[in-house]
């Protein structure tokens, strides 16, 4: 506990330094006529601020060299600093509220920095950081909501854009071994944990703005990294299935836009989507018996030759018919 308090004291000082560095009064003064001496002093002042700002950032970039337990303690202190500043920010007015928002922004930016610099071992830290971002998104202050949504977008993009997902397809095509299966399971779990906060965010709030924000992040992620996703599609599709039933125009429109990454869905997931509709049109008990008779690993290896395209096509036309009859123009 003492170590956490010491971290917190240091962070409070660094947050105050960060506010001072970025204050509009830190690098400007009201003068009538510039003179050479003032120009030299101003140049030196800029240099000092740049050095302090650089050192401030490097402290968190060096977290990549720290022990995991030390990084967790640092993140806990950042969360605590953010928590103690959240009260009294609902109005967002006045110098005190502005200082508190500045400290929260400092904490969030440093959390993102820690994630980016520890992306090679992000698993122990991901849930801790994302849970705080989700909490901020639930705050009534619109500045904190936007800050949280932007932080989620940056964090998800940082992990999916890292080298850990670069050779995903090549990795999957390698000859299977027990060690490779364990590594694949680990990567699968990581992918799902990276995408799942968007689903949690969407279903845990009644705010249309936050739901729109979560869909915008999803759209952004699919546009940039859709081809790297393989096992998080059930979460994505469950999220979109609920969008189809809402009345808000913005949500429906965004839901239809989230389609850029569909070409990367695995065959087994495509079948699951199609069969979920077909079950309504044929004997459900027979389908359940057939599904139970097929081992899980065999389902994952379903080939295109096993697909009944006529049934899938009929299902698709039926769904399009229902969409065409929907009262909502979107």
């Amino acid at each position: 506990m003492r170590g956490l308090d010491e971290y917190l004291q240091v962070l409070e000082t660094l947050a105050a330094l960060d506010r001072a560095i970025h204050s509009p009064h830190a690098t400007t003064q009201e003068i009538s006529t510039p003179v050479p001496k003032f120009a030299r002093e101003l140049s030196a002042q800029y240099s000092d601020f740049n050095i302090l700002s650089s050192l401030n950032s490097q402290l968190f970039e060096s977290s990549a060299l720290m022990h995991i337990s030390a990084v967790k303690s640092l993140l806990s202190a950042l969360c605590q600093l953010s928590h103690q500043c959240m009260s009294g920010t609902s109005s967002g007015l006045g110098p005190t509220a502005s200082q508190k928002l500045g400290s929260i922004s400092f904490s969030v930016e440093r959390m993102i920095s820690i994630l980016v610099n520890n992306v090679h071992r992000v698993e122990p830290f991901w849930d801790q950081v994302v849970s705080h971002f989700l909490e901020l998104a639930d705050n009534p202050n619109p500045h904190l909501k936007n800050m949280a949504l932007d932080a989620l977008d940056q964090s998800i993009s940082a992990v999916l854009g890292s080298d850990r997902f670069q050779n995903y397809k090549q990795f999957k095509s390698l000859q299977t071994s027990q060690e490779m299966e364990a590594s694949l399971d680990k990567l699968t779990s990581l992918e799902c944990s990276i995408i799942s906060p968007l689903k949690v965010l969407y279903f845990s709030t009644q705010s249309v703005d936050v739901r729109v924000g979560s869909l915008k992040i999803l759209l952004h992620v699919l546009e940039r990294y859709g081809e790297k996703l393989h096992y998080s599609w059930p979460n994505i599709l469950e999220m979109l299935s609920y969008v189809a039933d809402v009345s808000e125009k913005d949500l429906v429109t965004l839901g239809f836009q989230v389609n850029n990454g569909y070409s990367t869905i695995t065959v087994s997931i495509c079948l699951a989507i199609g069969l979920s509709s077909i079950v309504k049109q044929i004997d459900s008990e027979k389908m359940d018996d057939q599904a139970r008779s097929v081992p899980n690993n065999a389902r994952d290896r379903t080939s295109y030759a096993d697909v009944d395209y006529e049934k899938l096509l009929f299902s698709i036309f039926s769904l399009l018919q229902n969409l065409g009859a929907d009262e909502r123009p979107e």
Side-chain angles (χ1 to χ4, degrees):
M1 187 68 182
R2 182 182 175 185
L4 184 60
D5 290 337
E6 291 174 349
Y7 266 128
L8 187 58
Q9 291 175 4
V10 173
L11 291 175
E12 287 173 342
T13 304
L14 291 176
L17 173 62
D18 189 69
R19 289 198 303 272
I21 291 173
H22 294 95
S23 169
H25 304 291
T27 56
T28 59
Q29 295 183 21
E30 291 186 3
I31 56 170
S32 57
T33 305
V35 294
K37 181 181 178 181
F38 173 77
R40 289 195 300 270
E41 291 176 350
L42 189 60
S43 177
Q45 192 178 40
Y46 279 134
S47 177
D48 290 341
F49 281 126
N50 288 335
I51 292 172
L52 288 172
S53 180
S54 177
L55 290 174
N56 194 351
S57 299
Q58 288 175 17
L59 286 174
F60 298 91
E61 293 171 3
S62 64
S63 63
L65 306 175
M66 296 167 60
H67 191 273
I68 288 178
S69 60
V71 179
K72 285 186 173 182
S73 296
L74 181 57
L75 287 171
S76 296
L78 285 167
C79 288
Q80 187 170 334
L81 174 62
S82 179
H83 273 132
Q84 70 183 26
C85 294
M86 286 171 67
S87 60
T89 60
S90 57
S91 65
L93 302 174
T96 302
S98 178
Q99 286 184 1
K100 288 184 175 181
L101 287 172
S103 293
I104 296 173
S105 177
F106 168 86
S107 299
V108 169
E109 288 174 4
R110 273 32 181 200
M111 289 182 198
I112 296 173
S113 176
I114 290 174
L115 282 183
V116 169
N117 288 283
N118 289 272
V119 73
H120 59 288
R121 53 171 188 172
V122 74
E123 290 90 337
F125 318 122
W126 180 256
D127 289 343
Q128 182 181 8
V129 173
V130 169
S131 295
H132 186 66
F133 292 165
L134 293 177
E135 184 178 358
L136 286 175
D138 195 42
N139 192 281
N141 188 301
H143 296 292
L144 295 185
K145 288 181 187 291
N146 292 332
M147 190 187 301
L149 291 171
D150 186 57
L152 273 175
D153 194 354
Q154 290 185 55
S155 301
I156 293 173
S157 296
V159 179
L160 291 180
S162 68
D163 292 340
R164 300 187 66 175
F165 286 88
Q166 290 301 319
N167 299 317
Y168 205 149
K169 293 182 179 179
Q170 296 178 11
F171 179 78
K172 288 180 62 182
S173 64
L174 295 174
Q175 197 68 21
T176 304
S177 68
Q178 188 173 4
E179 183 178 3
M180 288 181 179
E181 285 183 358
S183 299
L184 183 58
D185 288 341
K186 184 178 179 180
L187 196 58
T188 300
S189 176
L190 175 61
E191 180 190 315
C192 292
S193 68
I194 297 302
I195 296 298
S196 62
L198 295 179
K199 174 185 170 184
V200 173
L201 179 64
Y202 186 88
F203 290 119
S204 63
T205 183
Q206 297 299 318
S207 169
V208 175
D209 290 339
V210 174
R211 287 187 169 183
V212 167
S214 65
L215 287 175
K216 285 183 176 179
I217 296 173
L218 179 59
L219 178 60
H220 177 231
V221 167
L222 291 180
E223 286 176 344
R224 298 185 64 183
Y225 310 108
E227 74 282 356
K228 298 181 180 181
L229 301 179
H230 297 270
Y231 295 99
S232 53
W233 282 105
N235 282 335
I236 295 173
L237 294 170
E238 182 181 357
M239 187 173 164
L240 293 178
S241 69
Y242 279 87
V243 175
D245 295 326
V246 300
S247 57
E248 290 83 2
K249 177 181 178 180
D250 291 341
L251 291 176
V252 176
T253 303
L254 272 173
F256 275 104
Q257 290 179 19
V258 184
N259 59 12
N260 294 334
Y262 281 0
S263 60
T264 66
I265 305 179
T266 60
V267 176
S268 57
I269 295 179
C270 286
L271 283 174
I273 301 167
L275 291 176
S276 65
S277 301
I278 296 173
V279 160
K280 299 177 183 179
Q281 303 168 37
I282 62 179
D283 187 357
S284 60
E285 292 184 2
K286 182 178 178 181
M287 290 296 298
D288 290 340
D289 292 339
Q290 290 177 350
R292 282 192 291 269
S293 66
V294 181
N296 288 333
N297 59 350
R299 292 177 201 167
D300 293 338
R301 294 193 299 269
T302 304
S303 67
Y304 288 102
D306 299 325
V307 180
D308 189 331
Y309 287 103
E310 289 187 1
K311 289 181 178 179
L312 285 177
L313 192 59
F314 179 76
S315 176
I316 291 171
F317 280 126
S318 297
L319 292 173
L320 289 175
Q321 182 182 25
N322 293 334
L323 284 175
D326 196 292
E327 296 178 354
R328 295 166 294 180
E330 298 78 25

